[in-house]
Amino acid sequence: MAQPVVDPADDLPRFPMARRPGFDPPTEYARLRADDPVTPVRLRHGQRAWLVTRYADVRRVLSDPATFSSDPSRPGYPQLRPVVDRKAAPGSFLVTDPPLHTRYRRILAHDFTAARMEVWRPRVERIVEECLDAFLASARPADLVAGFALPIPTQVTAAMLGVPYADREFFTSRSRRHLDRSLPAEEVRAALGELESYLAELIAAKDRDPGEDLVSRLVTRYLRTGEVSRDELVGMTVLLLVGGYETTANAISLSVLALLEHRAEWERLVAEPERVDAAVDELLRYLGLTQHGLVRAVTEDVELGGRLIRAGEGVIVSLSSANRDAGRFVDADRLDVCRSAKGHLTFGWGVHQCIGQHLARLEMSLALRALVRRAPDLRVTVPLAEIPFHFETPFYSVRSLPVTW
């Protein structure tokens, strides 16, 4: 598809907006929340959409899937990726509406409940401690991303799904390219295609010889009975694999960096590690991990934030802006590990709220507890300005984080 050329005379703000290194969302968001909380913006392919920045408006959009559709085949669906999505891929439950979305979530829900995550707690604890043993035995300074933050969720996700951990270089490299919004569309498509082919072969192997893992259970219970197609199962597995390790690895590394940059907050957790569980939600609120937000197509005329939005237009809801809304969180731009951040929107809201949120919280909590207990003197070895951040992906992260102890 030829990409439309944006008229230089067009004075609409371009989205996504530039973000500076650190933890704050783009500076424009604070002004927009105050003065223009639902504002028109211009996207990469020349498309016009509405950017929603206030907490209440973002939550309203996410609570109404009938009016604000996740289906890319709907008119007005905002296109943020290099690849223009004309329809949802089979099994892609992130970009489907009820009742199809309901069917997909029902198939997966049992394996991601809070109770089910408690069953996984001993194994996750063991993985965390083993990763930290290896990390603390390495030469200093050491990269916290490669040595600790990434191996934990990669191992946990591989074990849960039944994906060979030995193949991590293959699937992590393809996942990164698939998510990289600075790459040409052809390269993004190729990376996803290679990942889908790999997982299709894995599913076929599970069909021949199922094990005790999640993919095997989905094969035996749903694929063999015809309740899901092979393409649908591949699509589900792509989302579970990429979402299972990528976002949590980012959250762990950015959490450590934020705490070390706000040393008093780190020291508070060192002195009172029982605060870590509550601190996880505050970190999730503060960090702006979902930096480009979520997109929806409007199915009927609706008033939002004082604007009339027509059917066939699109909206982008900024989770990072909503989480910094002073109307919802007092002193919202300050990291405070003693704060109750209940109600933050990092995992979304409504029917599409992240299915893996309980697992992510568990991994983050156990990783941070282990670090404050065993490496209380941890510190970053370079200034914040020298740390390489990922700005071109939908999930904010650092490429590397050199630390010593």
Side-chain angles (χ1 to χ4, degrees):
M1 170 185 171
Q3 296 185 7
V5 177
V6 178
D7 184 348
D10 180 356
D11 61 356
L12 290 183
R14 300 320 191 241
F15 187 88
M17 296 168 178
R19 183 173 185 174
R20 294 197 304 264
F23 313 103
D24 295 332
T27 55
E28 293 94 332
Y29 288 176
R31 180 190 64 78
L32 291 173
R33 286 195 302 271
D35 301 330
D36 195 8
V38 180
T39 193
V41 293
R42 188 69 65 187
L43 310 184
R44 65 183 302 152
H45 299 293
Q47 184 182 13
R48 182 182 183 275
W50 296 94
L51 175 63
V52 184
T53 51
R54 280 185 189 164
Y55 181 94
D57 295 329
V58 168
R59 186 158 151 173
R60 180 185 169 195
V61 169
L62 298 180
S63 300
D64 185 359
T67 304
F68 300 97
S69 170
S70 300
D71 184 350
S73 69
R74 293 274 194 172
Y77 183 88
Q79 301 286 344
L80 300 184
R81 302 175 64 232
V83 176
V84 174
D85 298 305
R86 295 299 185 193
K87 62 179 181 178
S92 295
F93 52 88
L94 293 183
V95 289
T96 52
D97 294 330
L100 181 57
H101 172 265
T102 307
R103 178 168 75 86
Y104 288 155
R105 290 282 292 220
R106 177 181 54 78
I107 288 169
L108 297 168
H110 167 77
D111 291 283
F112 291 95
T113 62
R116 182 62 180 161
M117 292 308 101
E118 285 305 305
V119 174
W120 272 88
R121 179 181 289 271
R123 185 157 187 184
V124 177
E125 285 180 329
R126 184 167 65 251
I127 289 171
V128 167
E129 293 297 329
E130 289 172 353
C131 287
L132 189 52
D133 286 343
F135 183 69
L136 295 178
S138 62
R140 288 177 268 184
D143 179 8
L144 187 98
V145 176
F148 184 70
L150 184 59
I152 291 169
T154 307
Q155 287 190 49
V156 171
T157 302
M160 180 175 286
L161 296 182
V163 176
Y165 183 62
D167 294 343
R168 61 190 179 278
E169 178 54 37
F170 175 87
F171 63 75
T172 58
S173 63
R174 273 62 177 183
S175 296
R176 285 190 211 104
R177 293 206 295 274
H178 167 52
L179 294 172
D180 191 333
R181 290 178 175 173
S182 70
L183 296 178
E186 295 74 19
E187 193 168 339
V188 172
R189 286 194 195 95
L192 177 59
E194 290 176 15
L195 198 55
E196 289 173 334
S197 296
Y198 168 80
L199 291 173
E201 291 178 8
L202 179 75
I203 289 166
K206 303 288 185 185
D207 198 7
R208 293 190 297 270
D209 183 21
E212 300 298 321
D213 52 83
L214 174 55
V215 173
S216 292
R217 186 184 76 81
L218 296 175
V219 165
T220 56
R221 186 171 296 185
Y222 298 103
L223 179 63
R224 288 180 177 177
T225 61
E227 196 164 339
V228 297
S229 69
R230 196 167 293 271
D231 286 344
E232 285 178 314
L233 186 49
V234 169
M236 287 183 185
T237 309
V238 167
L239 292 180
L240 294 174
L241 177 61
V242 176
Y245 82 86
E246 182 77 32
T247 54
T248 306
N250 298 345
I252 293 171
S253 55
L254 277 176
S255 292
V256 174
L257 176 58
L259 289 168
L260 296 180
E261 289 292 316
H262 299 79
R263 193 74 196 190
E265 303 302 295
W266 172 264
E267 298 294 349
R268 185 170 284 127
L269 295 183
V270 169
E272 303 175 80
E274 66 275 8
R275 290 190 180 275
V276 166
D277 288 353
V280 162
D281 273 311
E282 169 64 353
L283 287 160
L284 287 166
R285 179 199 72 83
Y286 177 76
L287 294 172
L289 291 159
T290 309
Q291 59 180 351
H292 297 163
L294 303 176
V295 299
R296 298 291 187 264
V298 179
T299 63
E300 59 185 60
D301 292 359
V302 63
E303 188 277 330
L304 183 71
R307 297 276 200 173
L308 176 63
I309 304 179
R310 300 288 188 181
E313 296 183 328
V315 299
I316 304 161
V317 294
S318 174
L319 307 184
S320 61
S321 178
N323 284 337
R324 295 296 189 94
D325 189 338
R328 177 60 179 81
F329 300 100
V330 176
D331 202 5
D333 288 329
R334 183 169 66 89
L335 176 63
D336 178 3
V337 296
C338 297
R339 179 203 306 269
S340 172
K342 184 177 180 181
H344 71 80
L345 299 180
T346 298
F347 290 122
W349 196 262
V351 298
H352 280 281
Q353 194 167 33
C354 176
I355 197 169
Q357 62 177 296
H358 299 303
L359 177 58
R361 283 191 177 95
L362 176 65
E363 292 173 285
M364 287 180 67
S365 177
L366 293 176
L368 291 175
R369 279 180 180 271
L371 280 174
V372 299
R373 175 172 52 87
R374 296 181 56 189
D377 297 325
L378 193 71
R379 60 189 184 278
V380 183
T381 61
V382 299
L384 184 67
E386 295 181 14
I387 294 172
F389 286 83
H390 275 294
F391 297 107
E392 66 283 355
T393 58
F395 308 115
Y396 194 47
S397 63
V398 290
R399 301 172 192 270
S400 61
L401 182 58
V403 297
T404 191
W405 52 91

